[in-house]
Amino acid sequence: MSSSVVVVGSFNVDHVWRCESLPAPGATIAGRYSTGPGGKGFNQAVAACRAGAETSFLCALGDDAGGATARDLAAQDGFALIAEASSEPTGTAGIYVDARGRNTIVIGPGANAALSTDFVQQQALLASAKVVLVQLESPVQTIEAALAVAREAGVTTVLNAAPADAPSSIGLLKLADVITPNETEFAALLGRHVGERVDANDVAALDGASLHALCRKLVGNGTVVVTLGSVGVFVSHADENLRGDTQPYYRVGAEQVQAIDTTGAGDAFNGALVASIAQVPDAPFGRHVRFANQFAGRSTEKEGAAAAMPRFTPADAEVK
């Protein structure tokens, strides 16, 4: 088996309540309930597949209805799902979405927390992929092992350093060719690994040179892509590796969309980014970012996370 994109990460059964405003402590409010597939890893695998990349997803699942759902949905979308069996229940998430599309999420890791180092190290497809994408909803030592296998084989490695409160290490960051935090995750990484205290709410307003300098402190040799929601994206390269771009740092504005649910937008961006890198490897990095921006924007125009991912490939995109 081989795939151009391999995603290592989590699958959750999402339980979603849509309400006018996010619940405050002690409040009881009315909402509309739905359920469906989620988890950062699964969302990103769906996005990569629907963005045109041959995709495989490595995860851990319980022997339950949630695990069966994951396998069925992967088969329907057309990507390979390779799961480590766990005695824990399949992961779950409780999600509240307000009328403006903002969300809060509580995760029950379940089987996701049991994804083992031994399992990922046995997967030969990590060394034969074009891109390996990981997140931090699985044990950090397992994620580090997956990146190490890929890095040793010369595979491009991408770390979506999410969620913000997940453990990480400098060693983990060094194994990633590209890291893709949002502003909250970026601020958390700076505080944890650089000793720089930056308010997440101030990240988007920083001038380009200052933001680039912070990125370079965080990862000396890698590329940092800071996703900034409605403000767009900031890209910072090491001077010695511009990945086909003509400048070491720049911003890409957000797509103009009618957003109704931003729950899976970050996952859409990451899945589309690696799909573009895998399919158009000789293109400048900025082209991949602009495609991922378009893909993520479209994902917010439908409700849901994995279910909202559009079918939209780099060949369809209006990017240069």
Side-chain angles (χ1 to χ4, degrees), residues 266-280:
D267 296 331
F269 181 91
N270 279 276
L273 180 70
V274 297
S276 183
I277 293 170
Q279 292 174 86
V280 198

Side-chain angles (χ1 to χ4, degrees), residues 3-316:
S3 291
S4 60
V5 168
V6 177
V7 181
V8 184
S10 57
F11 172 83
N12 290 326
V13 178
D14 286 352
H15 301 278
V16 184
W17 290 264
R18 303 182 189 281
C19 33
E20 281 300 310
S21 58
L22 298 176
T28 300
I29 61 176
R32 177 166 57 89
Y33 172 78
S34 63
T35 186
K40 288 187 176 298
F42 188 81
N43 293 345
Q44 292 174 16
V46 171
C49 179
R50 293 189 184 180
E54 183 184 14
T55 302
S56 291
F57 176 48
L58 303 181
C59 63
L61 298 173
D63 183 16
D64 51 23
T69 296
R71 292 183 173 88
D72 289 345
L73 291 173
Q76 290 174 29
D77 251 302
F79 62 89
L81 185 152
I82 302 97
E84 182 174 15
S86 174
S87 59
E88 295 293 323
T90 297
T92 55
I95 303 171
Y96 299 87
V97 183
D98 72 7
R100 296 169 57 186
R102 300 175 304 175
N103 64 75
T104 59
I105 304 173
V106 179
I107 293 173
N112 294 319
L115 183 63
S116 70
T117 297
D118 287 346
F119 177 77
V120 299
Q121 288 177 332
Q122 293 168 10
Q123 308 305 317
L125 74 171
L126 286 170
S128 61
K130 292 182 179 176
V131 189
V132 169
L133 169 63
V134 300
Q135 330 75 37
L136 298 175
E137 287 183 339
S138 305
V140 66
Q141 65 271 21
T142 302
I143 295 305
E144 190 164 338
L147 290 181
V149 171
R151 171 60 69 83
E152 185 174 355
V155 175
T156 298
T157 53
V158 179
L159 168 64
N160 176 220
D165 59 353
S168 60
S169 67
I170 287 293
L172 180 71
L173 299 182
K174 287 182 177 179
L175 285 169
D177 296 307
V178 181
I179 67 168
T180 60
N182 65 20
E183 59 264 61
T184 303
E185 294 148 5
F186 181 66
L189 290 171
L190 288 173
R192 187 179 304 135
H193 301 303
V194 182
E196 292 274 0
R197 303 298 172 184
V198 178
D199 191 312
N201 295 321
D202 296 333
V203 170
L206 290 171
D207 66 89
S210 297
L211 189 47
H212 177 58
L214 289 171
C215 291
R216 294 303 93 217
K217 286 183 178 181
L218 186 62
V219 288
N221 297 318
T223 291
V224 182
V225 181
V226 186
T227 56
L228 302 169
S230 61
V231 179
V233 179
F234 180 82
V235 177
S236 169
H237 296 301
D239 287 339
E240 61 273 18
N241 188 3
L242 301 185
R243 301 189 183 279
D245 288 336
T246 59
Q247 49 195 342
Y249 64 90
Y250 54 90
R251 294 179 185 264
V252 177
E255 293 293 306
Q256 297 300 309
V257 296
Q258 297 296 317
I260 63 171
D261 186 355
T262 62
T263 303
D267 296 331
F269 181 91
N270 279 276
L273 180 70
V274 297
S276 183
I277 293 170
Q279 292 174 86
V280 198
D282 295 330
F285 191 79
R287 186 185 192 280
H288 305 314
V289 172
R290 289 190 291 274
F291 169 70
N293 240 13
Q294 289 186 23
F295 189 97
R298 291 193 181 192
S299 77
T300 68
E301 296 182 325
K302 292 176 62 179
E303 291 184 351
M309 301 301 172
R311 296 189 183 277
F312 178 60
T313 72
D316 302 321

